[in-house]
Amino acid sequence: MKYLEVSAGKTALRTLQAEGFTQERFCAVLGASGGPKWFTLFGLDRYLFGEFFNNRTKPLHLIGSSAGAFRFAALAQKDPVAAIERLANHYSRITYSKKPTLDEISTKGEAMVDVVLGQHGATEIIANAKIHPHFITAQTKGFLAFEQKLLQFAGLTKSYLLNRINRRYLAKQYERVMFTPVVGQLQLSDPAQISTHEVLLTHTNLADALLASGAIPLLLRGIRDIEGAPNGTYRDGGIIDYHFDLNLSVKDQTNGLVLFPHFNSKPRAGWFDKKLKRTPLSSSYDNVVMLSPTKEFITELPFGKIPDREDFTALPADVRFEYWDKVLSLSSLLADDLSSLIEDQTLDLIKPLELN
């Protein structure tokens, strides 16, 4: 395969080699934070939920933070392809003033939630018996619970320092709150021992939960006192679960694998790990199959790079639109490679997953 790299943890690789790459092998899908980086996965999302998982019989659990949560809110709807296209079209055309305020960015975030959900999205997500999205948020403590930028900055500085010492210390400032349509089905174990709470998704809290999962500190307002959840301020789930370092399993599907379409093959656990050499534990990826773009794919993109949030300020709007449209179009190459692997069952192309 030229454009897609498929790699798997030890158990996942052994399972695929013995039983084949079929949709029944998977019990869950991960969706990382990363803003517009997810445009490289657009083609995979369309293929996976428009074709590969289309005839699903067992429940499939989607675990997402921030951009991953938005993707999964679309993909859990009755017409996942139309919904993910709606999200991509809207997100790729967002513009901001030269010096956007917190209110401006937050308002546009709220508009994106409205676009993703449409008129019936929330009802379709909650009623979906086969596709269960879980939105990860970070409930904040101390200074990070306030909207004043100086207090937030102080809180983030403390998080950075605590995380450099040991990721477990983030538990002093955050708790993971996961909004789910099916409480108790997803089994989650965190090596960092950050507390996890499940809250049932409802028609009246789904939009707030989704917005909270992408509420980046300093840029967007936190979401306070979400219905059905413990009182407090909720922010971007990627703070603690940027690319994930979790052991995941699903009740009644204990041998199921986890599929992780990701924009690179070197995940980092949390937001504060982005520039650290620390990697997730190999045990957290033992049952994970990762899909990521190759260097050859990235070199074919405009500017030779994957989109990121800096594009909003680094590029004129018309240049950015053309660039991002090209990435969305080229992302189908990754889906074509995966489709060929699955159709031909060329499992020798799957590599052992190396996190270092």
Side-chain angles (χ1 to χ4, degrees):
M1 295 182 293
K2 182 177 181 181
Y3 301 112
L4 180 70
E5 178 178 310
V6 183
S7 53
K10 289 183 179 180
T11 294
L13 185 58
R14 188 167 57 248
T15 300
L16 294 181
Q17 290 172 339
E19 303 177 16
F21 198 124
T22 63
Q23 62 93 3
E24 294 90 350
R25 301 281 73 78
F26 297 95
C27 64
V29 182
L30 286 175
S33 302
K37 293 177 182 177
W38 81 267
F39 290 153
T40 57
L41 308 176
F42 173 66
L44 285 172
D45 283 347
R46 293 180 70 219
Y47 166 70
L48 288 170
F49 289 86
E51 298 181 43
F52 185 63
F53 289 124
N54 195 35
N55 296 317
R56 185 80 182 175
T57 56
K58 294 181 179 179
L60 183 70
H61 295 260
L62 317 182
I63 305 98
S65 61
S66 199
F70 274 77
R71 287 166 55 209
F72 291 163
L75 295 169
Q77 294 181 39
K78 188 174 182 179
D79 188 341
V81 173
I84 200 69
E85 289 177 346
R86 194 165 65 241
L87 171 61
N89 291 336
H90 178 83
Y91 192 7
S92 64
R93 285 298 183 274
I94 289 178
T95 58
Y96 299 102
S97 60
K98 289 186 177 181
K99 293 184 178 181
T101 63
L102 181 77
D103 285 342
E104 178 185 350
I105 299 174
S106 296
T107 298
K108 294 201 173 182
E110 293 166 1
M112 188 157 65
V113 169
D114 290 341
V115 168
V116 173
L117 297 179
Q119 186 175 358
H120 304 293
T123 298
E124 292 174 3
I125 290 168
I126 292 170
N128 197 326
K130 299 302 179 185
I131 307 296
H132 299 314
H134 307 259
F135 305 148
I136 292 179
T137 68
Q139 186 185 21
T140 55
K141 305 175 185 178
F143 289 155
L144 287 162
F146 298 92
E147 292 303 334
Q148 292 91 333
K149 284 194 172 183
L150 284 176
L151 293 179
Q152 281 191 55
F153 185 78
L156 292 171
T157 301
K158 181 180 179 181
S159 298
Y160 171 79
L161 295 173
L162 289 173
N163 185 72
R164 282 191 68 90
I165 299 170
N166 193 312
R167 175 169 157 78
R168 292 189 177 196
Y169 291 154
L170 290 178
K172 296 177 180 294
Q173 291 184 286
Y174 307 96
E175 293 189 10
R176 179 186 296 106
V177 178
M178 185 169 63
F179 291 84
T180 170
V182 283
V183 171
Q185 293 300 302
L186 184 66
Q187 312 297 312
L188 182 155
S189 176
D190 182 2
Q193 298 181 349
I194 298 171
S195 296
T196 301
H197 309 279
E198 286 186 289
V199 174
L200 186 67
L201 277 172
T202 67
H203 291 86
T204 50
N205 71 11
L206 193 148
D208 280 344
L210 183 56
L211 191 61
S213 187
I216 303 171
L218 300 176
L219 292 182
L220 287 90
R221 287 190 297 267
I223 308 301
R224 287 194 58 83
D225 302 339
I226 300 175
E227 181 181 293
N231 287 343
T233 301
Y234 292 79
R235 300 195 187 276
D236 196 311
I239 296 172
I240 50 178
D241 293 309
Y242 190 61
H243 300 164
F244 308 103
D245 186 2
L246 302 169
N247 292 296
L248 297 169
S249 64
V250 172
K251 189 177 181 181
D252 300 327
Q253 298 185 59
T254 53
N255 295 321
L257 303 182
V258 177
L259 189 63
F260 191 7
H262 192 36
F263 42 79
N264 69 57
S265 59
K266 302 297 181 184
R268 292 292 182 265
W271 194 31
F272 298 102
D273 293 318
K274 288 191 291 183
K275 296 184 179 180
L276 301 181
K277 293 182 179 180
R278 178 193 300 157
T279 60
L281 297 177
S282 59
S283 58
S284 296
Y285 281 75
D286 181 60
N287 67 337
V288 171
V289 179
M290 182 170 285
L291 312 175
S292 53
T294 62
K295 292 180 180 178
E296 288 79 6
F297 175 80
I298 295 173
T299 58
E300 295 202 14
L301 300 180
F303 309 109
K305 75 173 191 69
I306 289 174
D308 55 55
R309 286 196 295 112
E310 292 181 4
D311 295 337
F312 281 111
T313 54
L315 299 173
D318 58 340
V319 175
R320 175 167 58 85
F321 293 162
E322 184 177 355
Y323 165 31
W324 286 1
D325 284 348
K326 185 68 173 177
V327 174
L328 290 167
S329 176
L330 289 174
S331 70
S332 64
L333 296 173
L334 278 66
D336 292 342
D337 275 359
L338 180 60
S339 176
S340 295
L341 181 147
I342 293 171
E343 182 176 348
D344 300 334
Q345 289 295 297
T346 48
L347 305 180
D348 57 312
L349 297 176
I350 303 174
K351 302 177 180 179
L353 179 58
E354 298 178 357
L355 296 175
N356 295 321

